[in-house]
């Protein structure tokens, strides 16, 4: 089992940066695939980024070259560094974990979810 807690969201202006953190508790962190999703008002939750233990990170086209996902296994933490933020990035950002190590881009592939952290980017 894995419990996830996100933090780091806030209100910023377009062009600013934020770093989201997700702390995982449990004894299966090293054997899980971690991911970030986001959900804007009136829209479905969409994939943002994913990172497995020994795999390269994978990003949605909308955030590639601006966002960076990383993990610190010693701290049981996954990060999402967000640069050059746009108003279109405004959403609740969710951390997720899936059993096993793979590239996972679908919501249904993830078993564990955090409560979300709000990111708001003003014009």
């Amino acid at each position: 089992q894995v419990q996830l807690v996100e933090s780091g969201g806030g209100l910023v202006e377009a062009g600013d940066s934020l770093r989201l953190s997700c702390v995982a508790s449990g004894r299966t962190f090293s054997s899980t695939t971690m991911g970030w999703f986001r959900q804007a008002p009136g829209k479905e939750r969409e994939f943002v980024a994913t990172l497995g233990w020994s795999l390269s990170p994978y990003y949605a086209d909308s955030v590639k070259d601006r966002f960076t996902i990383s993990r610190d296994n010693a701290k049981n933490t996954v990060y999402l560094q967000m640069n050059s933020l746009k108003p279109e990035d405004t959403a609740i950002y969710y951390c997720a974990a899936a059993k096993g190590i793979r590239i996972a881009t679908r919501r249904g592939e993830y078993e564990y979810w955090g409560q979300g952290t709000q990111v708001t980017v003003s014009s």
Side-chain angles (χ1 to χ4, degrees):
Q1 301 184 61
V2 179
Q3 293 181 335
L4 308 173
V5 180
E6 306 98 329
S7 63
L11 173 63
V12 299
E13 296 181 352
D16 287 351
S17 298
L18 279 175
R19 189 177 77 160
L20 306 183
S21 298
C22 174
V23 179
S25 62
R27 294 171 287 183
T28 61
F29 184 75
S30 62
S31 61
T32 60
T33 294
M34 305 300 297
W36 286 97
F37 288 73
R38 66 186 183 184
Q39 186 167 22
K43 298 183 179 180
E44 295 185 345
R45 192 170 300 184
E46 66 176 359
F47 167 77
V48 175
T50 186
L51 181 63
W53 174 264
S54 60
L55 302 177
S56 298
Y58 184 82
Y59 304 93
D61 289 341
S62 59
V63 306
K64 193 173 184 179
D65 299 326
R66 297 190 298 120
F67 291 10
T68 301
I69 185 173
S70 62
R71 63 193 293 170
D72 186 333
N73 293 312
K75 297 181 178 180
N76 292 338
T77 302
V78 62
Y79 305 95
L80 184 68
Q81 178 67 46
M82 304 184 294
N83 298 326
S84 301
L85 283 164
K86 306 174 181 179
E88 305 92 273
D89 296 318
T90 295
I92 300 175
Y93 283 72
Y94 296 91
C95 177
K99 294 180 179 179
I101 302 173
R102 62 188 184 278
I103 297 175
T105 62
R106 301 176 181 178
R107 182 178 180 182
E109 296 182 84
Y110 290 87
E111 186 174 1
Y112 306 102
W113 295 85
Q115 62 180 335
T117 184
Q118 177 71 48
V119 173
T120 302
V121 185
S122 63
S123 301

